[in-house]
């Protein structure tokens, strides 16, 4: 199956007085999926990227549909599929499900930037190639 | 000018190692704008709605464009404009600017729900009327 | 070795503009250590405790010494040792280290309470016995 | 009355599934009290301190007693009293109450440090003098 997968559990800190995930916490989780992809699959930890290289991958835009609420203790199966790799950007779809039930689908654009100049920069070729392996296979 | 306005400052807790607002914190701020609108403009505090009435207004979907980064100490001017009031839902545009420079624009849909049944419920008429005053004037 | 152990990584969401863990995030981590102990070691998930049983374990007090800052990417080794089990309370020491270097030590008191009445309640005997296994061996 | 005062409201984002403030959020609030004191009373915003001067005031230790839970919508009255000004450190007591009912008392030590070297540095004399005005009057 294409895409990068990640799993986490809905903890107490994610939930609101309604007993469901407070939606801003989902964006922390989405960031965690992206950060883990960069660290484990691209071998490009955010510490190296941000602190040593002074580069970053801020989110330029993100659209999210929340299909059903998630509750304390739910185990979420995340999947990130790269849908487009631009010169200095990346489009991806990130989705979460619990026991096969869809919880959210997000489409986002990341931009690779020089943090000092806040200017976009072309992806290094090896990283671009590594990102391409998370694209959906075309038939 | 139409819409509900709110102002906050970018605090230390909102910023990431790149020195800019970590984007999930923007969604906490957007929630704060909505929560304050309900409390101050609709006289319908979330405590009353969630705890006593066991109702809620979860976000069904939200799309956000981040135009420029915000930094520690920036003062953000928020504006929420209601764009559609459905039977049990609400569409709105929420935007933030700093000294007139656009930082983000979000369009979102809230749904008024019974938290026990997680089923949408028709807005009370007086609240619907109160929400309507934050719609953009049509010419 | 006595005590309950847990490991996590310092992620982007935990760090502040100084590039180190923002200390309130450590308390989210400490809560995660406690929550995971209850879930995995006591087989008493917070969802069951809070949502179904309407009981909770709020923190009555906590004292923390921060020995050295933690940075993005650091892997933290957590250890929780139960130091006293009262009728309706629990004292514990929670510490974190990175590659053997101490980062923080916290001593805390949890109280087992009925969330409706906000009144302390005696620990169930089987849970008390399960908690006792995380006490330091006395010589 | 001596000390620095600050007021905030318990918002949805601060509360847990038990409907009360999740205690790590109190530490974000305590940080906000300190940050606002530095910004408004010392005219030393964290942006200037952290970003331009590359200095910081990390918390070296903090002990907190939680007297009673706070709920969604509660308005908290904060008070910070400086109890000791060391060469490069500061001891303070921070407390919160709601309608006169004590909610928490924290005692903390901040250290003024050079963020690059992570080494403590003597307070500037004008800032030390400004901090002294928040000490409790001695009889």
């Amino acid at each position: 199956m294409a895409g990068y997968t990640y799993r986490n559990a809905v903890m107490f800190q994610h939930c609101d007085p309604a007993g469901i995930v407070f939606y801003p916490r989902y964006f922390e989780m989405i960031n965690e999926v992206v950060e883990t992809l960069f660290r484990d699959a691209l071998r490009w930890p955010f510490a190296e990227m941000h602190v040593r290289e002074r580069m970053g991958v801020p989110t330029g835009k993100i659209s999210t549909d929340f299909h059903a609420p998630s509750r304390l203790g739910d185990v979420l199966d995340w999947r990130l599929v790269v849908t487009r790799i631009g010169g200095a950007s990346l489009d991806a779809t990130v989705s979460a499900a619990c026991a096969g039930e869809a919880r959210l689908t997000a489409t986002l654009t990341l931009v690779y930037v020089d943090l000092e100049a806040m200017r976009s920069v072309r992806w290094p070729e090896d990283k671009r190639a590594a990102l391409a392996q998370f694209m959906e296979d075309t038939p």
Side-chain angles (χ1 to χ4, degrees), chain A:
Chain A
M1 197 179 81
Y4 174 75
T5 59
Y6 183 75
R7 174 173 281 193
N8 75 344
V10 174
M11 306 289 284
F12 201 69
Q13 63 187 279
H14 302 130
C15 296
D16 67 19
I20 61 179
V21 172
F22 179 50
Y23 83 90
R25 308 284 169 242
Y26 276 132
F27 294 99
E28 296 183 44
M29 295 181 194
I30 290 172
N31 194 72
E32 199 174 308
V33 174
V34 170
E35 185 173 355
T36 310
L37 163 71
F38 274 79
R39 181 187 71 194
D40 296 345
L42 275 67
R43 308 214 170 272
W44 198 11
F46 272 21
E48 187 182 315
M49 183 197 290
H50 284 82
V51 183
R52 279 183 286 281
E53 306 175 356
R54 296 296 298 152
M55 303 296 289
V57 282
T59 300
K61 55 184 171 184
I62 184 164
S63 292
T64 310
D65 273 49
F66 302 98
H67 310 302
S70 297
R71 295 176 187 285
L72 186 58
D74 282 356
V75 173
L76 299 179
D77 290 303
W78 293 86
R79 184 166 175 246
L80 181 153
V81 175
V82 172
T83 53
R84 192 188 63 86
I85 308 179
S89 67
L90 179 82
D91 288 355
T93 298
V94 180
S95 55
C98 175
E101 186 197 58
R103 293 296 167 81
L104 69 84
T105 307
T107 56
L108 58 86
T109 301
L110 302 178
V111 186
Y112 181 57
V113 300
D114 176 325
L115 290 174
E116 308 292 351
M118 270 299 161
R119 195 175 38 81
S120 66
V121 173
R122 197 172 168 78
W123 293 110
E125 283 309 314
D126 61 326
K127 302 307 183 190
R128 175 189 301 274
L131 285 167
Q133 68 184 300
F134 297 104
M135 297 190 82
E136 195 96 62
D137 298 323
T138 49

